[in-house]
């Protein structure tokens, strides 16, 4: 069905602003029902200033009070629900002038969680991408950078802590129980980096010395009862600061750096200059309530937001089409940091595998679907829909390819030049590419195709061995499927690390650069037919079309010295057998056994190697998906693996115990991961026999990783004791929202269990639970998103019941929080990939949602693109 779509914004239509700002002064009197915002804007003519052009400021959900220019009341303006257009400017706007505006917003009614809002009685902001316009009228675009001075006023008894960007200048007691604080940010920034926080909070703080000898104050602010859960986040922040100094020579540039945690937040965290605001999920952790995955995620997200201080704040984006300039680069930086924290090369490999799994399970499907877009989109309707795994994770892979092509030292040279040229500026992806190229005297003109073309390239491998000439011939050809608006693709510049494995083991790794549609290489003095190890360390984000024999894959799985490709070959073997509805044969079982028992291999690597490809990744290998068939085949394969290695799993469960108390280091976490995989496999092999051991682990665990893994095993395998343990879990942790989220998510993500009610029945019940809140994004994600987007076997039912639930949930969420609703709307965007009757049912419910006349722009764009409108 055709719908009227909102305005599209196009990258090539960018114009620099007619006006820009110098100094910005804000005076904000905080009140949940009536916050008064006074702004004083020093307005300057922009580079492309047109005489007599009006000053057009963005504003949403604001009550306009007054306007003054150069101290005088000004009445030549037009007001719409989206803009304040000011006409008749002094000297046609050719000289600087001062605009003063008073307006009012209502934070307590702001359920979108964009702009200024109230959470649990405290004030918070979220301004990226276009939230500042909900606070006051402004040139709300990233290329308008100004220095901010902010005065916050509030009732002291209710809001004793007043925080904003930069450095604290003064505090003052005011009449009638009010007080104020003045903050000044010495660095120009765009409005999306503005932040304020006010409320009853307490902090943990540390003072550190940077490499230049400067003393810096670090603070993490939380609600008082959460203070004991902040130590890991603080340690992660300190480690991030020192790592950035050592790796890139980048030092913390403010007197203080603050993190604030809030439970109502649309995303993971936000890098506001000097005042990062985080979802509590990525700050709060202690062994009793957080898993190893939580600890790792906190370390990664804290690092990510801190690294934005330079890659995003000091150098920011010219426009939102350049979002990957800061996000792709900063994801790469946090990945490298986390890999270094692993402490060993095998640990680095584990981190690399985890990142690639995320890319394949989430980004590859996006690249192949109706929402496919380059890492630098050419067009968007709603910018919030482009905070995607393509912009972030694929963007990080593109940055990683620079390092692969240039080496670590060459990449550092490029980074140094980038900051030298652009510190304090709003720039483009082309500026970053130019810095990398110029610093290393390389031609990266073809590399630009990674920024402008959507889709995952497919590389076909053809090999031929000439025994007489002792030559190995390798031919690679690349292609990329069509994507929305891009019927034809130019060749990519693809770096591929390869090694030829022979019995003599005398061939080193080489870097091949595939630039043409088809290229060939000849390797001399090859004394036997080698086994090709290609795209080592996942050197490029591609799909390989390589009909490698199972014998060769087994050899790579057993012997490849590249840990990523060793894991990869095992995944390929499992994937081929699952899709062909085959069980693991004796050779593969033996290979798994040898890997599990190898004392030289990292425990975390073993756990990853024995974890099967995700259902969603298997979907992408099929021309027509039957979700029930894939689930059944994958489950049968896993059960055979569990039974065939039963003795090994039992032995590992005992060997991987960590009896000396919880430690969050990588080695201990790896042991717990392998132990809990062993427990899950034992339950898979024979749940009645091993369920008592799972119950025992649940009851006696001294950490959330082990307790939750045992509970998950009981729930997933339909063990009778599961209900009693679920009830106990909720009672133990009812006062901890993040743990209750886990309780909700575990039940919503339960795959089908023979003899049990459908998971959807539980999901409907959970939605009526007293602890479920439709206006809390974490809670919504733990129930609705967990079922629709992380439980394919239960969601995809032939009767369409899962899709009916999805449609109901999207329509219920949209008026409350369009961003959260739009992410949920993505659950059906690959509907064309499925067989009937799934495909028809999905299409019908997409049409039902599209027919709603009050859809937000966020949801309408997703649904319309899914339908092809």
């Amino acid at each position: 069905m055709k719908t009227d779509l909102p305005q599209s914004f196009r990258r090539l239509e960018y114009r620099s602003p007619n006006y820009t700002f110098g100094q910005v002064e804000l005076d904000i009197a905080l009140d949940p029902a009536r916050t008064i915002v006074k702004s004083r804007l020093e307005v300057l003519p922009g580079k492309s200033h047109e005489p007599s052009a009006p000053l057009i400021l963005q504003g949403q959900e604001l009550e306009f009070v007054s306007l003054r220019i150069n101290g005088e009341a000004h009445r030549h303006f037009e007001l719409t629900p989206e803009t304040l257009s000011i006409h008749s400017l002094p000297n046609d706007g050719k000289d600087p002038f001062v605009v003063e505006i008073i307006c009012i917003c209502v934070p307590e009614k702001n359920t979108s969680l964009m702009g200024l809002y109230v959470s649990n009685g405290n004030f918070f902001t979220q301004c990226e991408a276009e939230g500042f316009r909900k606070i006051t009228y402004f040139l709300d675009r990233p290329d308008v950078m100004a220095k901010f001075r902010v005065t916050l006023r509030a009732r002291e008894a209710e809001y004793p802590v007043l925080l904003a960007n930069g450095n604290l200048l003064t505090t003052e007691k005011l009449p009638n129980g009010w007080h104020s604080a003045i903050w000044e940010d010495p660095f120009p920034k765009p409005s999306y980096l503005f932040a304020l926080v006010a409320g009853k909070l307490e902090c943990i703080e540390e003072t550190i010395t940077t490499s230049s000898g400067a003393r810096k104050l670090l603070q993490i602010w939380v609600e008082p009862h959460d203070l004991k859960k902040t130590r890991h986040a603080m340690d992660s922040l300190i480690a991030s600061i020192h790592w950035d100094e050592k790796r890139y020579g980048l030092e913390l540039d403010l007197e203080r750096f603050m993190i604030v945690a809030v439970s109502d937040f649309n995303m993971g965290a936000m890098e506001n200059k000097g005042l990062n605001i985080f979802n509590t999920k990525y700050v709060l952790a202690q062994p009793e309530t957080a898993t190893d995955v939580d600890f790792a995620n906190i370390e990664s997200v804290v690092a990510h937001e801190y690294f934005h201080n330079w890659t995003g704040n000091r150098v920011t984006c010219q426009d939102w089409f350049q979002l990957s300039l800061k996000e792709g680069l900063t994801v790469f930086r946090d990945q490298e940091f986390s890999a270094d924290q692993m402490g060993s090369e095998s640990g680095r490999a584990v981190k690399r595998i985890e990142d690639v799994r995320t890319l394949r399970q989430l980004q590859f499907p996006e690249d192949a679907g109706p929402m496919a877009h380059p890492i630098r989109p050419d067009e968007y309707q709603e910018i919030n829909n482009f905070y995607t795994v393509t912009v972030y994770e694929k963007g990080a892979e593109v940055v990683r390819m620079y390092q692969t092509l240039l080496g670590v030292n060459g990449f550092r040279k490029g980074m140094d030049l980038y900051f030298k040229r652009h510190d304090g500026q709003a720039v483009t992806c082309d500026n970053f590419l130019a810095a990398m190229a110029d610093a290393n005297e390389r031609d990266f003109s073809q590399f630009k195709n990674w920024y402008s073309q959507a889709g995952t390239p497919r590389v076909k491998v053809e090999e031929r061995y000439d025994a007489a000439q002792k030559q190995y011939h390798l031919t690679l050809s690349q292609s990329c499927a069509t994507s929305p608006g891009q019927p034809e693709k130019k060749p990519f510049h693809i770096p591929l690390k390869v090694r030829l494995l022979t019995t003599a083991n005398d061939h080193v790794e080489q870097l091949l650069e595939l630039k043409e549609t088809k290229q060939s290489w000849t390797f001399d003095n090859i004394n036997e037919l080698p086994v090709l190890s290609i795209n080592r360390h996942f050197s490029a984000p591609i799909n390989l079309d390589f009909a490698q024999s199972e014998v060769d894959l087994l050899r790579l799985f057993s012997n490849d010295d590249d840990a990523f490709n060793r894991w990869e070959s095992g995944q390929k073997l499992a994937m081929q057998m699952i899709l062909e509805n085959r069980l693991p044969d004796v050779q593969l079982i033996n290979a798994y056994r040898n890997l599990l028992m190898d004392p030289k291999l990292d425990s975390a690597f073993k756990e990853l190697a024995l974890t099967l490809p995700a259902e969603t990744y298997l979907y992408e290998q099929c021309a027509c998906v039957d979700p029930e068939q894939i689930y059944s085949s994958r489950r049968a394969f896993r059960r055979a693996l569990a039974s065939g290695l039963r003795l090994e799993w039992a032995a590992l469960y005992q060997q991987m115990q960590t009896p000396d108390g919880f430690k969050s280091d990588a080695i201990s976490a790896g042991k717990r991961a392998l132990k809990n995989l062993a427990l899950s496999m034992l339950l898979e092999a024979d749940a009645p026999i091993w369920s008592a051991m799972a119950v025992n682990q649940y009851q006696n665990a001294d950490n959330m990783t082990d307790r939750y893994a045992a509970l998950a095993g009981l729930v997933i395998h339909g063990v009778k004791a599961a209900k009693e343990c679920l009830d106990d879990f909720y009672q133990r942790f009812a006062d901890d929202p993040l743990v209750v989220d886990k309780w909700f998510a575990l039940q919503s993500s339960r795959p089908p269990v023979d003899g049990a009610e459908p998971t959807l029945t539980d999901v409907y019940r959970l939605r009526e639970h007293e602890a479920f809140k439709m206006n809390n994004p974490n809670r919504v994600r733990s129930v609705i998103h967990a079922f629709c987007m992380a439980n394919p076997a239960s969601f995809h039912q032939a009767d369409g019941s899962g899709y009916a639930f999805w449609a109901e949930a999207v329509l219920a969420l949209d008026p409350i929080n369009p961003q959260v609703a739009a992410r949920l709307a993505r659950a059906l965007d690959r509907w064309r990939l499925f067989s009937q009757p799934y495909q028809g049912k999905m299409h019908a419910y997409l049409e039902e949602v599209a027919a709603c006349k009050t859809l937000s722009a966020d949801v309408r764009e997703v649904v319309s693109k899914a339908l092809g409108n």
Side-chain angles (χ1 to χ4, degrees):
M1 93 181 255
K2 287 288 182 184
T3 57
D4 294 327
L5 291 177
Q7 176 186 0
S8 287
F9 300 91
R10 296 176 177 84
R11 182 174 63 86
L12 295 180
E13 294 177 358
Y14 168 82
R15 287 183 72 255
S16 60
N18 275 309
Y19 298 96
T20 187
F21 296 150
Q23 183 71 31
V24 171
E25 296 182 12
L26 300 176
D27 187 307
I28 303 175
L30 294 162
D31 184 277
R34 187 178 173 83
T35 289
I36 300 173
V37 181
K38 300 176 181 179
S39 62
R40 184 182 186 279
L41 314 174
E42 181 188 5
V43 184
L44 312 172
K47 291 180 181 178
S48 61
H49 178 257
E50 298 176 3
S52 301
L55 173 61
I56 302 176
L57 306 179
Q58 290 78 40
Q60 290 180 1
E61 301 172 19
L62 300 174
E63 177 187 337
F64 175 82
V65 177
S66 68
L67 167 67
R68 298 170 71 87
I69 294 184
N70 290 340
E72 301 291 333
H74 193 81
R75 306 190 186 283
H76 302 285
F77 64 88
E78 296 174 61
L79 199 60
T80 75
E82 301 285 334
T83 59
L84 170 62
S85 300
I86 307 174
H87 302 274
S88 301
L89 300 174
N91 197 23
D92 290 334
K94 290 181 286 189
D95 298 324
F97 58 95
V98 174
V99 170
E100 295 173 88
I101 300 170
I102 300 177
C103 63
I104 296 168
C105 61
V106 186
E108 68 181 8
K109 291 186 178 179
N110 185 5
T111 63
S112 72
L113 309 184
M114 290 293 292
L116 177 64
Y117 64 94
V118 175
S119 171
N120 201 22
N122 298 321
F123 287 97
F124 300 91
T125 55
Q126 171 55 34
C127 294
E128 187 178 359
E130 296 175 340
F132 191 77
R133 63 191 63 186
K134 289 189 172 187
I135 300 174
T136 187
Y137 294 96
F138 207 78
L139 282 171
D140 192 13
R141 47 188 287 172
D143 57 351
V144 175
M145 302 176 71
K147 289 187 177 181
F148 282 70
R149 183 185 177 102
V150 179
T151 300
L152 300 179
R153 307 174 192 275
R155 290 181 289 272
E156 186 171 14
E158 297 173 50
Y159 311 106
V161 174
L162 302 174
L163 307 176
N165 308 86
N167 300 316
L168 178 63
L169 298 184
T170 62
T171 60
E172 184 180 0
K173 301 278 188 180
L174 301 174
N176 301 317
W178 283 59
H179 71 138
S180 68
I182 301 177
W183 293 81
E184 185 173 63
D185 189 343
F187 298 97
K189 66 172 179 284
S191 55
Y192 83 87
L193 291 172
F194 170 83
L196 74 80
V197 171
K200 294 178 179 177
L201 303 169
E202 293 183 5
C203 74
I204 178 178
E205 62 182 32
E206 294 275 349
T207 301
I208 65 167
T209 303
T210 61
S211 56
S212 68
R215 301 281 284 172
K216 307 289 184 178
L217 176 64
L218 310 180
Q219 296 177 320
I220 298 181
W221 293 89
V222 296
E223 292 185 25
H225 60 270
D226 287 326
L227 201 60
K228 61 183 179 294
K229 302 177 184 178
T230 56
R231 185 68 250 173
H232 179 66
M234 177 62 81
D235 291 342
S236 299
L237 176 59
I238 293 170
S240 303
I241 293 170
H242 292 321
W243 184 88
D244 216 18
E245 289 180 341
K246 183 178 179 180
R247 182 72 173 265
Y248 294 110
L250 301 174
E251 189 172 323
L252 175 56
D253 54 359
L254 292 167
E255 294 173 6
R256 71 171 71 195
F257 189 90
M258 298 172 284
I259 289 174
V260 182
V262 56
S263 59
D264 294 299
F265 205 65
N266 283 341
M267 53 197 74
M270 178 59 208
E271 71 268 18
N272 317 296
K273 182 70 178 179
L275 180 58
N276 288 186
I277 300 179
F278 275 54
N279 191 318
T280 51
K281 180 179 176 67
Y282 297 106
V283 172
L284 306 180
Q286 59 183 3
E288 296 79 15
T289 58
T291 65
D292 288 325
V293 171
D294 294 327
F295 276 89
N297 286 342
I298 289 169
E299 180 181 78
S300 175
V301 174
V302 167
H304 180 95
E305 305 308 331
Y306 173 73
F307 296 154
H308 265 313
N309 190 54
W310 283 89
T311 51
N313 297 2
R314 287 285 288 258
V315 184
T316 194
C317 302
Q318 171 189 276
D319 53 60
W320 291 121
F321 297 100
Q322 318 298 329
L323 182 59
S324 197
L325 173 75
K326 72 182 184 77
E327 295 300 348
L329 175 56
T330 306
V331 169
F332 167 75
R333 277 155 50 70
D334 81 55
Q335 289 175 350
E336 287 290 278
F337 165 77
S338 295
D340 282 349
Q341 301 307 106
M342 299 294 284
S344 67
E345 281 305 307
S346 60
R348 288 186 64 87
V350 167
K351 173 60 178 167
R352 185 70 183 126
I353 291 166
E354 291 172 346
D355 294 337
V356 174
R357 286 175 64 191
T358 299
L359 188 80
R360 285 176 167 171
Q361 292 173 27
L362 302 177
Q363 195 279 321
F364 279 20
E366 183 169 271
D367 245 352
M371 288 290 287
H373 55 278
I375 66 168
R376 183 189 59 194
D378 286 323
E379 181 177 352
Y380 66 80
Q381 294 161 12
E382 175 51 62
I383 185 55
N384 291 324
N385 287 336
F386 282 85
Y387 284 74
T388 62
V389 283
T390 295
V391 165
Y392 281 66
E393 272 69 29
K394 185 175 181 179
E397 294 299 317
V398 171
V399 173
R400 185 176 296 277
M401 284 189 287
Y402 285 113
Q403 182 165 283
T404 298
L405 289 162
L406 301 172
V408 172
N409 292 335
F411 184 81
R412 169 66 190 270
K413 286 170 60 180
M415 289 283 280
D416 289 347
L417 183 58
Y418 176 63
F419 291 119
K420 181 179 179 180
R421 286 177 172 177
H422 302 298
D423 188 12
Q425 299 176 15
V427 299
T428 69
C429 295
D430 287 337
N431 295 126
F432 184 78
L433 182 145
M436 287 290 158
D438 294 348
N440 293 278
E441 299 181 349
R442 290 287 300 266
D443 179 5
F444 278 154
S445 54
Q446 187 180 351
F447 197 81
K448 289 183 179 181
N449 292 339
W450 285 105
Y451 289 94
S452 60
Q453 296 183 160
T456 305
R458 180 167 292 275
V459 175
K460 183 178 181 180
V461 180
E462 299 173 90
E463 54 182 350
R464 181 172 60 86
Y465 178 62
D466 186 334
Q469 298 295 321
K470 295 185 178 181
Q471 289 181 328
Y472 174 79
H473 302 277
L474 176 64
T475 299
L476 304 177
S477 51
Q478 62 165 299
S479 61
C480 190
T482 62
S483 51
Q486 295 186 333
E488 296 183 7
K489 308 290 176 68
K490 298 176 183 178
F492 291 86
H493 182 174
I494 302 175
L496 291 167
K497 290 183 177 181
V498 302
R499 186 180 177 199
L500 304 183
L501 302 185
T502 62
T503 52
N505 200 29
D506 57 354
H507 300 283
V508 299
E509 181 178 273
Q510 299 183 49
L511 178 64
L512 307 181
E513 298 186 34
L514 176 61
K515 295 184 176 182
E516 307 300 327
T517 302
K518 191 172 187 176
Q519 274 176 259
S520 296
W521 289 264
T522 297
F523 299 82
D524 295 317
N525 301 316
I526 309 299
N527 295 319
E528 62 184 85
L529 175 64
V531 175
L532 176 63
S533 175
I534 186 170
N535 203 26
R536 292 160 66 83
H537 205 61
F538 202 69
S539 54
I542 61 168
N543 278 312
L544 274 176
D545 185 0
F546 187 13
Q548 213 161 9
S549 71
E550 291 188 1
V551 171
D552 284 353
L553 288 173
L554 269 172
R555 182 174 172 187
L556 291 168
F557 185 50
S558 301
N559 300 305
D560 200 328
D561 65 320
D562 181 77
F564 175 85
N565 266 16
R566 187 171 185 183
W567 169 82
E568 171 81 317
S569 53
Q571 295 289 294
K572 286 181 178 178
L573 283 165
M575 181 178 69
Q576 289 174 190
M577 292 182 178
I578 291 169
L579 293 177
E580 293 170 5
N581 202 20
R582 295 159 52 200
L583 298 178
D585 57 23
V586 173
Q587 289 81 8
L588 183 56
I589 291 286
N590 285 335
Y592 280 130
R593 178 180 291 111
N594 291 337
L595 183 143
L596 280 175
M597 296 296 104
D598 188 339
K600 300 187 295 297
L601 292 177
D602 188 272
S603 298
F605 177 80
K606 293 178 182 181
E607 189 267 339
L608 286 172
L610 272 293
T611 299
L612 300 180
E615 287 166 72
T616 51
Y617 182 62
L618 293 170
Y619 291 175
E620 296 303 313
Q621 317 310 313
C622 303
C624 187
V625 174
D626 181 336
E628 184 177 357
Q629 172 61 41
I630 287 178
Y631 171 73
S632 297
S633 181
R634 184 181 183 276
R635 189 69 186 268
F637 188 97
R638 191 174 193 269
R639 186 166 290 130
L641 198 57
S643 298
L645 297 170
R646 190 184 318 233
L647 295 177
E648 286 74 18
W649 294 124
L652 283 167
Y653 183 76
Q654 297 302 324
Q655 293 168 12
M656 294 297 115
Q657 298 292 329
T658 50
D660 297 328
F662 180 87
K663 297 177 183 177
S664 63
D665 63 280
I667 292 175
S668 299
K671 287 184 175 181
R672 282 188 291 271
L674 185 55
K675 175 190 70 180
N676 288 320
L677 175 64
L679 176 61
S680 178
M681 284 296 200
L682 290 169
L683 290 168
E684 185 78 77
D686 199 332
I689 290 179
W690 298 101
S691 59
M693 188 167 73
V695 171
N696 181 66
Q697 176 172 312
Y698 170 81
Q699 293 173 339
N700 296 298
D702 67 349
N703 63 85
M704 179 55 70
T705 301
D706 286 343
R707 191 184 304 279
Y708 187 78
L711 180 62
L714 294 169
V715 170
I716 289 169
H717 295 96
V719 176
K720 188 176 181 179
K723 185 182 185 308
E724 181 181 342
C725 291
L726 276 169
D727 292 343
D728 174 77
F729 190 86
Y730 183 78
Q731 292 303 318
R732 283 177 187 255
F733 301 107
D735 294 332
D736 191 314
L738 293 178
V739 183
V740 173
D741 285 339
K742 297 180 192 300
W743 182 80
F744 275 115
L746 175 57
Q747 296 172 82
S748 297
S749 57
R750 172 180 63 82
V753 174
D754 292 340
E757 288 185 328
T759 304
L760 183 56
T761 303
D762 288 340
V763 173
Y764 274 114
R765 175 177 54 81
L766 292 170
R767 270 194 58 176
E768 300 304 315
H769 194 278
E770 62 181 4
F772 180 79
K773 298 177 182 178
M774 202 68 153
N775 62 354
N776 177 263
N778 283 357
R779 197 52 47 88
V780 169
R781 285 187 283 259
S782 71
V783 176
I784 299 174
H785 289 63
F787 175 72
C788 297
M789 306 187 79
N791 189 0
S794 294
F795 178 58
H796 295 294
Q797 294 296 310
D799 63 1
S801 55
Y803 312 143
F805 172 81
W806 166 87
E808 174 192 335
V810 170
L811 292 173
L813 271 170
D814 194 35
I816 299 170
N817 193 320
Q819 279 192 43
V820 176
R823 293 189 183 276
L824 178 63
R826 297 289 301 274
L828 295 193
D829 66 7
R830 295 286 278 140
W831 62 276
R832 288 181 174 86
L833 188 63
F834 288 77
S835 63
Q836 295 292 4
Y838 306 97
Q839 184 183 111
K841 300 281 188 183
M842 281 190 258
H843 182 263
Y845 284 107
L846 279 164
E847 291 277 15
E848 179 179 308
V849 171
C852 176
K853 298 189 182 302
T854 58
L855 280 185
S856 67
D858 307 60
V859 172
R860 186 165 298 284
E861 179 178 20
V862 171
V863 173
S864 297
K865 286 186 174 180
L867 288 169
N869 295 335

